[in-house]
Amino acid sequence: MSDEEEPSYRPLGRARADSAPVGAPLANKRLALVTGGHRRLGGIIAATLAKAGHSLAIHGSHDTRLDSHLALTFEEEKTEWEGFVVDFADPEGAEELVAMVAERFGRPPDILVNSAAIFGQDRLETVSADDLMRHYAVNCAAPTLLTKAFATIPAGVGDRCIVNILDQRIDHPHADQFAYTLSKLALAGLTRTSAHSLAPRVRVNAVAPGLTIATPDYDEAQMERLGALMPLARLPQAQEIAQAVLYLVDATAVTGQTLYVDGGAHLKSYDRDFMHLCR
């Protein structure tokens, strides 16, 4: 399919004022808002929620063009979904996103997965104020304002929950990707404090992944050697991380918890980020 063709199962863009609410098809389904849910790990989480029967509000910072596997899953599952474009570089837009979703679907989301993140290369000796503020805006301030909006929008009495995507490094921080690491530590703090303050109305948990979807910084041989460094002698699969999110979505007696899906990496301390190891 060419880029010019628009498949019928891929509605894109912001919620529109002239859009009629989705309505009746959602009556027996929970609605999940997944930030960064159109690609990579966020897309795999969204696909897993779709297969579990949820409707999806998919957020992207600049577009909501779906990874091919996610588009196919939505088509196969006949998933009701819509895309919403909000740039979290201005975190105030995040607070408006929940209302946009509620307007489009005719009701607020039952599930919020804070998956969107940015990731830069800096260390304490090189980090700038701009680095710190950009990472904090997207990786912590936006999830915080989404949590506020999610918790305060009028909603029913059914189970409502938030799952934040952290990083296994929060247990043993190293000096690489300094601004990113600080922002994820702040998001871990949000998870704990909001779990306490929002109970019993909203459950808040987190998943802390290890290295899973390789970027161009890694080659196949390096990934194999890194897997051997893990306590379980393997790296996690993205689907396993998504299954942990799904567990927390359904675990109505669980709040304030962080599940590490990382091959045991959080049990060890690494001197550098994985991209610099086993080369």
Side-chain angles (χ1 to χ4, degrees):
M1 180 175 294
S2 71
D3 289 342
E4 289 75 26
E5 294 178 81
E6 285 293 325
S8 60
Y9 54 83
R10 193 178 64 185
L12 299 179
R14 297 177 183 271
R16 300 175 300 277
D18 59 350
S19 295
V22 173
L26 285 173
N28 297 316
K29 296 185 177 183
R30 297 173 77 192
L31 172 60
L33 167 57
V34 182
T35 69
H38 57 311
R39 63 187 182 91
R40 292 183 59 82
L41 180 59
I44 293 171
I45 292 170
T48 299
L49 291 171
K51 290 176 182 178
H54 301 298
S55 299
L56 272 298
I58 300 295
H59 157 268
S61 290
H62 303 291
D63 66 79
T64 52
R65 186 169 297 277
L66 306 183
D67 275 353
S68 58
H69 75 87
L70 181 56
L72 181 60
T73 296
F74 283 177
E75 183 181 27
E76 291 176 341
E77 300 295 330
K78 297 179 171 57
T79 301
E80 296 93 2
W81 77 279
E82 180 64 273
F84 301 84
V85 177
V86 177
D87 188 352
F88 288 168
D90 177 8
E92 288 188 355
E95 194 166 359
E96 300 170 1
L97 178 57
V98 172
M100 292 165 63
V101 171
E103 177 189 17
R104 176 66 183 97
F105 285 92
R107 64 187 180 91
D110 308 288
I111 301 157
L112 168 61
V113 181
N114 282 311
S115 177
I118 61 171
F119 187 98
Q121 301 296 334
D122 50 59
R123 294 168 63 89
L124 178 59
E125 60 268 26
T126 62
V127 71
S128 68
D130 182 62
D131 292 329
L132 291 166
M133 297 310 295
R134 285 189 304 106
H135 283 80
Y136 187 81
V138 175
N139 298 352
C140 185
T144 299
L145 293 172
L146 278 164
T147 296
K148 172 188 173 184
F150 183 89
T152 56
I153 195 169
V157 296
D159 179 67
R160 304 184 75 228
C161 66
I162 298 170
V163 181
N164 295 322
I165 304 301
L166 305 179
D167 191 299
Q168 57 81 24
R169 74 179 66 202
I170 62 175
D171 265 28
H172 294 284
H174 50 67
D176 293 321
Q177 295 92 38
F178 187 73
Y180 168 84
T181 299
L182 287 182
S183 67
K184 286 296 184 177
L185 286 165
L187 185 58
L190 172 67
T191 301
R192 292 189 294 271
T193 56
S194 58
H196 181 270
S197 63
L198 297 182
R201 296 178 295 111
V202 177
R203 298 184 297 109
V204 185
N205 294 289
V207 174
L211 175 61
T212 179
I213 302 177
T215 67
D217 300 305
Y218 300 86
D219 60 40
E220 185 174 347
Q222 183 187 14
M223 292 290 284
E224 290 180 3
R225 291 191 289 269
L226 286 168
L229 282 184
M230 302 299 109
L232 292 181
R234 54 164 294 211
L235 296 171
Q237 298 298 307
Q239 186 59 43
E240 294 173 310
I241 296 163
Q243 287 295 330
V245 173
L246 182 61
Y247 164 74
L248 291 172
V249 163
D250 293 334
T252 57
V254 177
T255 195
Q257 298 298 309
T258 295
L259 296 183
Y260 291 82
V261 186
D262 62 354
H266 71 284
L267 299 173
K268 297 178 63 175
S269 178
Y270 301 90
D271 292 337
R272 300 293 308 274
D273 182 68
F274 293 138
M275 66 180 291
H276 299 292
L277 304 178
C278 296
R279 288 190 171 275

XYZ file of all heavy atoms in Angstrom, residues 211-227 235 274-279:
195
model
N 16.305 -3.387 28.177
C 16.589 -3.250 26.752
C 15.767 -4.280 25.985
O 15.815 -5.472 26.285
C 18.079 -3.466 26.501
C 18.541 -3.478 25.048
C 18.251 -2.147 24.364
C 20.026 -3.825 24.973
N 15.012 -3.822 24.990
C 14.171 -4.769 24.260
C 14.185 -4.519 22.763
O 14.667 -5.339 22.009
C 12.726 -4.779 24.816
O 11.941 -5.690 24.051
C 12.081 -3.406 24.800
N 13.671 -3.394 22.278
C 13.630 -3.133 20.844
C 14.913 -2.388 20.473
O 15.121 -1.239 20.873
C 12.394 -2.302 20.462
C 11.119 -3.037 20.884
C 12.381 -2.021 18.963
C 9.845 -2.251 20.618
N 15.766 -3.033 19.714
C 17.062 -2.443 19.387
C 16.903 -1.234 18.477
O 16.056 -1.208 17.590
C 17.945 -3.488 18.715
N 17.716 -0.227 18.705
C 17.823 0.923 17.816
C 19.039 0.692 16.904
O 19.790 -0.285 17.089
C 18.019 2.215 18.615
O 19.302 2.172 19.247
C 16.929 2.368 19.679
N 19.268 1.575 15.931
C 20.447 1.415 15.073
C 21.776 1.488 15.819
O 22.819 1.175 15.242
C 20.309 2.579 14.078
C 18.842 2.854 14.015
C 18.344 2.620 15.397
N 21.752 1.877 17.107
C 22.984 1.918 17.892
C 23.525 0.528 18.198
O 24.678 0.387 18.616
C 22.734 2.647 19.218
C 22.273 4.079 19.023
O 22.984 4.822 18.327
O 21.202 4.448 19.531
N 22.705 -0.511 18.017
C 23.078 -1.877 18.373
C 23.157 -2.749 17.123
O 22.398 -2.547 16.171
C 22.045 -2.495 19.320
C 21.858 -1.758 20.627
C 20.968 -0.691 20.721
C 22.542 -2.139 21.769
C 20.775 -0.018 21.919
C 22.355 -1.482 22.976
C 21.476 -0.416 23.042
O 21.288 0.248 24.222
N 24.041 -3.759 17.176
C 23.991 -4.785 16.139
C 23.577 -6.105 16.783
O 23.496 -6.230 18.011
C 25.324 -4.911 15.394
C 26.491 -5.289 16.298
O 26.313 -6.134 17.203
O 27.587 -4.740 16.109
N 23.289 -7.094 15.949
C 22.734 -8.357 16.451
C 23.692 -9.059 17.407
O 23.276 -9.586 18.448
C 22.399 -9.262 15.269
C 21.705 -10.548 15.676
C 21.255 -11.371 14.484
O 21.256 -10.831 13.350
O 20.917 -12.553 14.684
N 24.970 -9.062 17.082
C 25.946 -9.732 17.945
C 26.033 -9.050 19.307
O 26.141 -9.719 20.351
C 27.312 -9.750 17.270
N 25.983 -7.727 19.312
C 26.013 -6.998 20.573
C 24.792 -7.333 21.416
O 24.898 -7.518 22.633
C 26.087 -5.498 20.324
C 26.188 -4.662 21.599
C 26.087 -3.170 21.338
O 25.690 -2.748 20.250
N 26.446 -2.366 22.323
N 23.625 -7.402 20.800
C 22.407 -7.738 21.535
C 22.521 -9.121 22.170
O 22.093 -9.334 23.306
C 21.196 -7.673 20.609
C 20.842 -6.274 20.126
S 20.182 -5.194 21.429
C 18.503 -5.848 21.578
N 23.123 -10.074 21.467
C 23.304 -11.416 22.025
C 24.234 -11.369 23.228
O 23.984 -12.021 24.257
C 23.847 -12.353 20.957
C 22.840 -12.675 19.853
C 23.431 -13.609 18.816
O 24.600 -14.044 18.999
O 22.728 -13.913 17.834
N 25.311 -10.601 23.112
C 26.263 -10.502 24.236
C 25.623 -9.789 25.427
O 25.860 -10.162 26.586
C 27.526 -9.789 23.788
C 28.369 -10.583 22.803
C 29.733 -9.963 22.583
N 29.654 -8.725 21.829
C 29.739 -8.638 20.500
N 29.879 -9.731 19.776
N 29.666 -7.464 19.896
N 24.809 -8.776 25.157
C 24.116 -8.085 26.249
C 23.132 -9.015 26.940
O 23.000 -8.992 28.170
C 23.393 -6.851 25.705
C 24.295 -5.672 25.335
C 23.511 -4.626 24.549
C 24.902 -5.040 26.589
N 22.443 -9.831 26.173
C 21.532 -10.798 26.776
C 22.244 -11.705 27.753
O 21.726 -12.020 28.837
N 17.438 -11.063 27.177
C 16.755 -9.775 27.180
C 15.250 -10.000 27.096
O 14.802 -11.028 26.578
C 17.217 -8.930 25.994
C 18.684 -8.513 25.982
C 19.032 -7.862 24.642
C 19.002 -7.578 27.137
N 23.650 0.408 28.108
C 23.871 -0.821 27.355
C 24.464 -0.560 25.967
O 25.221 -1.394 25.453
C 22.558 -1.597 27.208
C 22.019 -2.144 28.494
C 20.666 -2.075 28.795
C 22.865 -2.751 29.413
C 20.166 -2.591 29.980
C 22.391 -3.271 30.606
C 21.029 -3.197 30.891
N 24.147 0.569 25.353
C 24.661 0.824 24.012
C 26.180 0.913 23.972
O 26.805 0.710 22.926
C 24.056 2.102 23.421
C 24.433 3.376 24.121
S 23.674 4.862 23.376
C 24.569 4.919 21.830
N 26.818 1.161 25.120
C 28.269 1.279 25.178
C 28.945 -0.023 25.614
O 30.180 -0.090 25.627
C 28.663 2.386 26.152
C 28.153 3.734 25.787
N 28.606 4.422 24.685
C 27.189 4.529 26.361
C 27.971 5.582 24.591
N 27.111 5.667 25.587
N 28.165 -1.025 25.969
C 28.711 -2.284 26.474
C 28.724 -3.355 25.393
O 27.917 -3.319 24.464
C 27.898 -2.774 27.668
C 27.749 -1.811 28.860
C 26.874 -2.439 29.943
C 29.115 -1.423 29.413
N 29.621 -4.324 25.548
C 29.686 -5.527 24.697
C 29.880 -5.199 23.220
O 29.415 -5.928 22.346
C 28.416 -6.363 24.868
S 28.189 -7.019 26.524
N 30.578 -4.126 22.918
C 30.845 -3.805 21.515
C 32.006 -4.618 20.983
O 32.869 -5.038 21.720
C 31.135 -2.307 21.376
C 29.869 -1.460 21.558
C 30.136 -0.025 21.176
N 28.907 0.752 21.144
C 28.080 0.814 20.097
N 28.351 0.135 19.004
N 26.984 1.535 20.143
